Amino acid sequence: MAHPTAAVLEYHLVSYRRTWRSSALSSFILPLLTMLSFGVGVGAYVRGDVAGVPYLDFIVPGLIASTAMQVAIAESTFPVFGNFEWIKIYFSQVAAPLRIADILGGHLGFVLFRILTSTAAFLVTTALFGAVHSWWALAALPVAALLGLAVAAPTFGYAASVPSDNYLAMLFRFAVIPMSLFAGVFFPVESLPGVLRWLAYVSPLWHGVDLIRAATLGVAPAWSVAGHLAYLATWAVAGWLLATARFRRRLTI
């Protein structure tokens, strides 16, 4: 008999087998177009190197990290909210019965699957463009997974707490977009004013960007590897605890 968490993961994988085509554009084609438009298009107008490397080499690892974050957010907002408010799958699962940890763990496992497949495809594509310069680039995959978990876990808790899907749009507007713009994806955070720079350091995305950029370029990150990993793990653990508490409150009668 399969472990209950694995059974929940299998449910999401089977469901995804029917709908994967709808996510292909956002997961694979849009990041590629972003790389071509910014890395190649805008990069042609950037004079000199950025942080000591060509602009394409600088922006690609940031886009890999940003892709991991965006996939994590996309799979942790409306799908989670919908499982509570619209199709109510979570209520069916808890009646099976499954534990809260099984429901949450299986769904987060599916989110990690989506993150890894999306970032792996992006990494292969960027390698074909010559923007990967070290075998350490393979480390980008576990880093992307940890970054995705650091983002997805607290987002699960948030999506389980809000009374309306309007609050999910607010999350994109006030958290996802600022992180995407000011966390070192498109330009070094050192060029930001002091307050904005520290806000970038607080965001999980910057830590993922710094680690993945170091891996693809084969250089040391700006901060310590252990510090980056510990910070992302803290977000993931705190998010898991928050999500567990919110799921238990919603699903326990």
Side-chain angles (χ1 to χ4, degrees):
M1 179 180 294
H3 190 278
T5 302
V8 175
L9 172 60
E10 182 181 5
Y11 161 77
H12 289 288
L13 290 174
V14 170
S15 299
Y16 183 65
R17 187 173 61 185
R18 302 188 183 99
T19 62
W20 67 269
R21 293 175 183 82
S22 64
S23 65
L25 178 66
S26 60
S27 298
F28 304 109
I29 300 177
L30 287 181
L32 174 60
L33 294 177
T34 303
M35 182 187 69
L36 292 174
S37 60
F38 282 95
V40 179
V42 176
Y45 296 94
V46 176
R47 297 182 179 180
D49 294 342
V50 177
V53 297
Y55 188 63
L56 178 63
D57 296 352
F58 176 85
I59 196 175
V60 157
L63 292 176
I64 294 174
S66 180
T67 296
M69 180 197 70
Q70 291 177 23
V71 171
I73 289 288
E75 295 292 342
S76 306
T77 46
F78 288 97
V80 173
F81 182 83
N83 282 349
F84 279 114
E85 299 293 338
W86 298 327
I87 58 178
K88 301 184 182 297
I89 289 298
Y90 291 144
F91 296 97
S92 300
Q93 291 175 339
V94 79
L98 291 167
R99 300 176 304 163
I100 300 298
D102 298 326
I103 298 171
L104 186 56
H107 199 167
L108 279 172
F110 171 72
V111 174
L112 288 179
F113 164 78
R114 289 279 290 111
I115 292 167
L116 285 172
T117 53
S118 298
T119 53
F122 200 112
L123 186 62
V124 170
T125 302
T126 56
L128 296 176
F129 277 83
V132 174
H133 301 279
S134 171
W135 283 104
W136 280 106
L138 294 175
L141 296 179
V143 171
L146 181 57
L147 169 62
L149 188 59
V151 172
T155 305
F156 265 61
Y158 178 80
S161 305
V162 297
S164 166
D165 58 346
N166 292 331
Y167 289 87
L168 303 180
M170 292 172 60
L171 179 66
F172 282 91
R173 183 174 303 171
F174 297 111
V176 177
I177 293 176
M179 271 200 295
S180 300
L181 294 177
F182 301 113
V185 175
F186 300 102
F187 53 84
V189 297
E190 291 76 16
S191 62
L192 292 171
V195 174
L196 289 178
R197 188 184 311 166
W198 281 102
L199 287 177
Y201 293 153
V202 169
S203 73
L205 179 58
W206 179 79
H207 296 268
V209 168
D210 193 39
L211 284 173
I212 294 176
R213 182 166 288 137
T216 58
L217 296 177
V219 299
W223 286 13
S224 72
V225 173
H228 281 312
L229 296 178
Y231 188 77
L232 292 174
T234 300
W235 271 87
V237 171
W240 171 270
L241 295 175
L242 172 65
T244 300
R246 300 308 302 174
F247 270 55
R248 181 172 290 113
R249 182 174 179 178
R250 293 289 302 274
L251 297 176
T252 300
I253 300 177

